[in-house]
């Protein structure tokens, strides 16, 4: 029996050595930065920002007290024009947005923050049709989006898929030639703000094939309840919560409406008040304000900021330029049907105008 076990160990040793070597290499090259969250590296692969940012904040619980939540579509809300205080308390903002971020994940993150002594005085949360189809159970299987709470429940379960992930040759080359000094400014910006440097230029000569999009559907019928729970939690902890919808590009917006987006807005409005930027106007039909069909540029994010936190003069001027008197209007249970009817007429007018061209 001992000889058999010895032979088995000898046979298994090369495989165990190979597996350990691959795991160590994957840990070193760390495509999604889960092992390097304290010193993030920027490569062509996007980091798992849900995990990296959450780890960073709970290890620095007093550094920030105001947070932007949302998907990557919300990431381009710039620091410029964010409020400097709320209820007399100075605000220190951090951008918690991450790929396909949905309110269910934001709720979990807020709960994690509160459980770890993170100060929260204000939250700005943007949402759109992403939460009509994306869900946590799917994200738990994706290395780019695996939620921090998987790590909280079981570090082994969280890290195992990353250790088994084979690093792409292109990432290996980028890590081997990574210049920390050259990336110092971007690294500091990530830890001081969480977002990219604001570039308020517009897209020149947009490639229109990048602005077309198909239908994603509406499978998450109860996603609005996560927003309701966030609102309840914020009220319980005296956190100033501002909700708003993304100014989606017209192709994404129209397809989302066909998939049931107005029904989703109706569901949210029954319990929560939000500012609506999902509409058709001179900004949202202009591809120059977008990188492609999914993400708007900081120039448009700045206009959202000014409507949310600016003066009446700011709002009047922006809405006049938009050709949309109701852009960024507050929506709740009392006016949701009026708003939806207005938005539906917008679409009908847009379709009629397009067919005449």
């Amino acid at each position: 029996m001992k000889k058999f076990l010895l032979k088995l160990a000898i046979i298994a040793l090369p495989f165990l050595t190979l597996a350990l070597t691959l795991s160590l290499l994957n840990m070193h090259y760390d495509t999604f930065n889960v092992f390097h969250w304290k010193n993030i590296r920027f490569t062509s692969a996007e980091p798992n920002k849900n995990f990296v940012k959450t780890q960073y904040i709970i290890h620095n619980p007093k550094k920030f007290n105001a947070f932007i939540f949302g998907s990557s579509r919300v990431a381009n809300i710039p620091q410029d024009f964010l409020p400097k205080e709320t209820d007399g308390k100075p605000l220190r903002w951090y951008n918690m947005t991450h790929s396909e971020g949905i309110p269910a994940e934001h709720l979990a993150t807020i709960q994690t923050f509160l459980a770890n002594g993170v100060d929260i005085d204000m939250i700005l949360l943007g949402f759109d049709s992403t939460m009509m189809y994306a869900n946590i159970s799917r994200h738990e299987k994706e290395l780019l989006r695996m939620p921090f709470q998987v790590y909280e429940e079981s570090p082994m379960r969280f890290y195992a898929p990353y250790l088994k992930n084979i690093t792409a040759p292109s990432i290996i080359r980028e890590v081997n030639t990574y210049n920390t000094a050259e990336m110092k400014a971007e690294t500091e910006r990530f830890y001081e703000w969480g977002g990219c440097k604001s570039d308020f230029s517009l897209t020149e000569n947009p490639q229109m094939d990048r602005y077309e999009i198909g239908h994603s559907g509406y499978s998450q019928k109860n996603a609005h309840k996560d927003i309701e729970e966030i609102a309840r939690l914020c009220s319980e902890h005296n956190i100033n919560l501002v909700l708003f919808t993304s100014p989606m590009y017209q192709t994404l917006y129209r397809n989302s409406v066909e998939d049931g987006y107005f029904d989703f807005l109706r569901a949210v409005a029954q319990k929560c008040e939000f500012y609506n930027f999902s509409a058709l106007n001179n900004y949202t039909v202009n591809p120059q304000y977008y990188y492609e069909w999914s993400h708007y540029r900081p120039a448009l994010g700045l206009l959202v900021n000014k409507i949310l936190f600016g003066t009446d003069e700011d709002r009047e001027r922006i809405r006049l330029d938009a050709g949309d008197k109701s852009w960024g209007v507050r929506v709740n249970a009392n006016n949701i049907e009026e708003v939806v009817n207005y938005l539906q007429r917008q679409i009908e007018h847009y379709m009629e105008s397009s067919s005449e061209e």
Side-chain angles (χ1 to χ4, degrees):
M1 184 66 178
K2 290 183 179 179
K3 289 184 178 180
F4 172 75
L5 292 175
L6 180 61
K7 288 182 180 179
L8 188 63
I10 292 173
I11 293 172
L13 185 60
F15 295 99
L16 292 174
T17 302
L18 177 62
L20 178 59
T21 301
L22 288 175
S23 293
L24 290 174
L25 286 173
N26 290 333
M27 184 184 297
H28 170 71
Y29 287 107
D30 193 11
T31 303
F32 300 96
N33 277 269
V34 296
F35 300 104
H36 293 80
W37 64 266
K38 290 183 180 180
N39 187 21
I40 194 170
R41 296 180 303 215
F42 297 97
T43 65
S44 55
E46 183 179 351
N48 180 343
K49 291 180 180 178
N50 182 319
F51 176 81
V52 173
K53 291 181 176 182
T54 304
Q55 275 279 35
Y56 174 59
I57 295 301
I58 64 175
H59 281 80
N60 297 275
K62 305 304 179 184
K63 188 169 185 178
F64 305 96
N65 67 340
F67 301 93
I68 296 178
F69 284 98
S71 70
S72 58
R73 295 177 188 170
V74 184
N76 286 314
I77 290 290
Q79 283 178 286
D80 311 68
F81 233 88
L82 287 174
K84 300 297 189 293
E85 65 175 42
T86 181
D87 297 329
K89 299 177 182 178
L91 295 175
R92 304 177 302 279
W93 286 93
Y94 191 78
N95 189 323
M96 285 295 299
T97 59
H98 57 87
S99 176
E100 262 191 26
I102 52 176
E105 292 168 329
H106 309 327
L107 171 61
T109 300
I110 295 167
Q111 291 170 330
T112 295
F113 281 2
L114 293 172
N116 284 273
V118 176
D119 290 333
I120 311 178
D121 288 311
M122 187 168 184
I123 288 175
L124 179 60
L125 191 156
F127 61 94
D128 51 52
S129 59
T130 303
M131 62 182 293
M132 289 168 51
Y133 61 85
N135 63 81
I136 286 184
S137 61
R138 193 190 80 196
H139 288 178
E140 289 178 349
K141 302 178 180 67
E142 299 174 347
L143 300 187
L144 173 61
R145 303 183 176 96
M146 193 180 298
F148 174 84
Q149 287 68 36
V150 175
Y151 168 82
E152 277 189 307
E153 295 172 3
S154 171
M156 181 64 71
R157 180 189 164 207
F158 178 85
Y159 283 124
Y162 293 98
L163 291 172
K164 292 186 291 185
N165 177 61
I166 304 300
T167 308
S170 59
I171 300 299
I172 292 175
R173 288 192 295 271
E174 290 180 61
V175 171
N176 286 339
T177 59
Y178 195 79
N179 190 318
T180 303
E182 286 184 359
M183 302 302 294
K184 182 180 178 181
E186 188 169 356
T187 302
E188 290 178 347
R189 189 180 305 113
F190 180 86
Y191 290 112
E192 292 301 321
W193 160 236
C196 299
K197 182 179 180 180
S198 294
D199 174 5
F200 294 114
S201 64
L202 302 181
T203 300
E204 296 183 5
N205 303 315
Q207 300 175 354
M208 294 311 298
D209 58 334
R210 290 168 53 84
Y211 295 80
E212 295 302 321
I213 177 63
H215 292 269
S216 297
Y218 184 9
S219 58
Q220 307 305 309
K221 300 292 185 180
N222 294 317
H224 63 279
K225 294 182 179 179
D226 298 314
I227 294 182
E228 293 174 13
E229 183 60 20
I230 290 172
R232 186 201 65 77
L233 190 63
C234 287
S235 176
E236 179 182 325
H237 290 270
N238 297 314
I239 298 169
N240 184 359
L241 173 67
V242 178
L243 299 170
F244 70 99
T245 65
S246 296
M248 295 182 282
Y249 182 64
Q250 58 93 3
T251 51
L252 172 62
Y253 171 66
R254 289 189 293 110
N255 284 8
S256 298
V257 170
E258 289 182 31
D259 288 341
Y261 186 58
F262 288 162
D263 291 334
F264 165 69
L265 294 184
R266 287 186 176 100
V268 175
Q270 297 314 306
K271 297 290 181 66
C272 300
E273 183 172 77
F274 60 91
Y275 294 83
N276 180 57
F277 292 93
S278 298
L280 291 176
N281 56 48
N282 293 336
Y283 294 119
T284 61
V285 303
N286 186 345
Q288 290 187 302
Y289 283 93
Y290 295 80
Y291 291 104
E292 17 67 13
W293 61 267
S294 186
H295 300 90
Y296 56 83
R297 298 184 66 97
L300 191 55
L302 182 60
L303 298 179
V304 170
N305 266 1
K306 288 186 175 182
I307 287 183
L308 291 176
F309 305 116
T311 64
D312 288 338
E313 290 75 15
D314 288 328
R315 284 183 275 273
E316 183 178 357
R317 177 185 56 79
I318 292 170
R319 287 167 175 159
L320 182 63
D321 291 342
D324 184 353
K325 62 182 180 181
S326 294
W327 200 45
V329 68
R330 288 186 183 184
V331 181
N332 52 44
N334 295 324
N335 69 345
I336 179 62
E337 290 305 324
E338 178 184 348
V339 170
V340 167
N341 288 337
Y342 172 81
L343 295 175
Q344 188 62 58
R345 290 195 300 273
Q346 266 191 346
I347 293 177
E348 293 170 359
H349 176 72
Y350 176 82
M351 297 304 293
E352 290 174 0
S353 300
S354 299
S355 63
E356 294 173 358
E357 293 179 358

